[in-house]
Amino acid sequence: MARKEKLPLDLSVVFSLLAMLFASLYIIYSYWPVVPSRPNINVLEEYVKAVMYLNKSALTIESELAGYPIPDLDFTPEEAVTNRNKLEMYVDNLSHAYGSMDTFIVQVARSYLYVAEASANSSLALLSLNDTGKELKEALSLLAMCRIDEALERYSEIELRILNATYQIENAKNALSKVNKATVAENHVNIVDSSQERLWKSLNSLRNATLLMETARKYGSLLKMLCSGNSPGTDNLLSNLLNDASKVKATGPLAPDIMNARNAIIGLVARNPAGHERQISSGQSSSGGQGGGAGYVPPSSDD
């Protein structure tokens, strides 16, 4: 009878120990970081791709707008977008695994995701441009030569592409501004910095070229009148034209083209009797010994 009384007691102890063991394992498992799934992802390789795509696309955008020979890209915009999507999935898995965005490995992944985001947007901007830089330079050149209708017609043909490219480059620039360079490999920091500068200059160049062409569209009739040597009879319009044209900055890869067209417009105001006094009081010189369109005025440097 003694043995029969001890057996249930021994089993209850065993069951209690097993229950405690399973409970402990469950608690450990619940708080243990889940290894993120990485289907078809070599993370280090994707990091390098993101930086390479960014470097080449930013350089190509600058070359496209400046009229330099465009380097051949050894990747497609689709590949850049795929790279971004892979890193986005990786960051999402990491954040769930570690439960915090402050973990260093997650910060590193997020920084490279921002680089990939920038490279995808700048690569898509190249699709929007697609020889648009050359056509935009032609529109600005026509404007400088007082061929107003032709300039506006040429610009209208490419306006949507210019706006799309500007939007995508701005997205790329904003993505790069979020990169924590302390979490990026040292040999990648200079590439990120130089690409960011190229994109910033290209963005400003496109914005100012657009502003100048919009000014030409707004004052199209007045510009044609001035180009023909006629006077509007009042300096109010001339003053408004001068003020708007003076807001345009010749900067970035399109700087020479913007400067030439902008100063041609300012020169037209300077040559007109109604606007001559207004021109002199604004601090602009009404003389110039250089070419560059009707009434060319040597500019102060905008760079």
Side-chain angles (χ1 to χ4, degrees):
M1 293 295 293
R3 290 180 180 177
K4 292 182 180 179
E5 290 176 357
K6 289 182 178 179
L7 183 59
L9 179 62
D10 293 341
L11 286 176
S12 65
V13 171
V14 171
F15 289 142
S16 297
L17 290 173
L18 286 174
M20 291 174 62
L21 176 62
F22 287 134
S24 299
L25 289 175
Y26 175 78
I27 293 172
I28 293 173
Y29 177 79
S30 298
Y31 288 94
W32 193 266
V34 179
V35 177
S37 60
R38 297 180 294 174
N40 302 321
I41 295 180
N42 181 328
V43 177
L44 295 181
E45 181 179 328
E46 297 302 327
Y47 288 170
V48 172
K49 282 182 179 180
V51 174
M52 180 189 69
Y53 294 163
L54 173 66
N55 182 42
K56 292 185 176 181
S57 57
L59 177 60
T60 303
I61 287 173
E62 184 180 51
S63 299
E64 162 75 18
L65 296 178
Y68 299 148
I70 299 176
D72 292 331
L73 293 180
D74 53 3
F75 69 95
T76 64
E78 289 77 14
E79 289 176 293
V81 172
T82 298
N83 170 252
R84 188 271 311 277
N85 292 341
K86 285 183 177 180
L87 289 180
E88 186 176 40
M89 179 174 61
Y90 178 66
V91 168
D92 185 61
N93 288 336
L94 279 181
S95 62
H96 281 88
Y98 290 95
S100 171
M101 301 306 295
D102 296 328
T103 307
F104 184 73
I105 190 173
V106 181
Q107 291 181 22
V108 171
R110 285 188 67 83
S111 285
Y112 279 98
L113 173 59
Y114 291 134
V115 173
E117 181 73 29
S119 68
N121 275 283
S122 55
S123 299
L124 291 171
L126 283 172
L127 283 181
S128 297
L129 289 175
N130 191 23
D131 291 332
T132 299
K134 178 182 178 181
E135 296 176 61
L136 181 56
K137 291 166 78 72
E138 290 175 356
L140 291 168
S141 178
L142 289 168
L143 181 59
M145 292 187 290
C146 258
R147 294 161 63 179
I148 308 302
D149 286 336
E150 292 177 72
L152 293 177
E153 181 179 0
R154 182 65 55 87
Y155 177 69
S156 294
E157 294 171 354
I158 60 173
E159 183 175 9
L160 183 58
R161 282 184 282 162
I162 293 292
L163 294 177
N164 285 338
T166 301
Y167 173 76
Q168 287 154 341
I169 295 173
E170 184 171 14
N171 285 343
K173 181 189 73 70
N174 290 339
L176 288 181
S177 69
K178 300 175 184 177
V179 174
N180 181 355
K181 293 173 187 175
T183 64
V184 175
E186 185 176 354
N187 60 321
H188 290 163
V189 172
N190 287 338
I191 296 176
V192 171
D193 284 341
S194 60
S195 298
Q196 190 171 20
E197 184 178 3
R198 286 192 174 102
L199 290 173
W200 177 247
K201 288 182 177 180
S202 297
L203 179 62
N204 278 337
S205 212
L206 283 172
R207 283 173 172 170
N208 279 282
T210 299
L211 179 60
L212 186 59
M213 294 307 302
E214 288 296 333
T215 298
R217 178 181 286 164
K218 179 179 179 181
Y219 297 98
S221 298
L222 175 60
L223 285 172
K224 287 187 284 184
M225 184 183 298
L226 294 173
C227 287
S228 65
N230 296 323
S231 172
T234 174
D235 68 347
N236 287 337
L237 282 175
L238 290 173
S239 177
N240 293 337
L241 171 57
L242 177 62
N243 288 337
D244 286 356
S246 297
K247 293 176 184 176
V248 176
K249 303 298 181 184
T251 185
L254 287 164
D257 310 279
I258 297 172
M259 185 184 298
N260 200 29
R262 179 197 64 184
N263 290 333
I265 292 175
I266 293 174
L268 286 171
V269 176
R271 291 190 327 181
N272 192 274
H276 182 75
E277 183 177 347
R278 176 78 61 179
Q279 173 75 5
I280 296 301
S281 65
S282 72
Q284 300 283 348
S285 171
S286 61
S287 62
Q290 301 182 42
Y296 179 89
V297 178
S300 56
S301 174
D302 292 320
D303 296 326

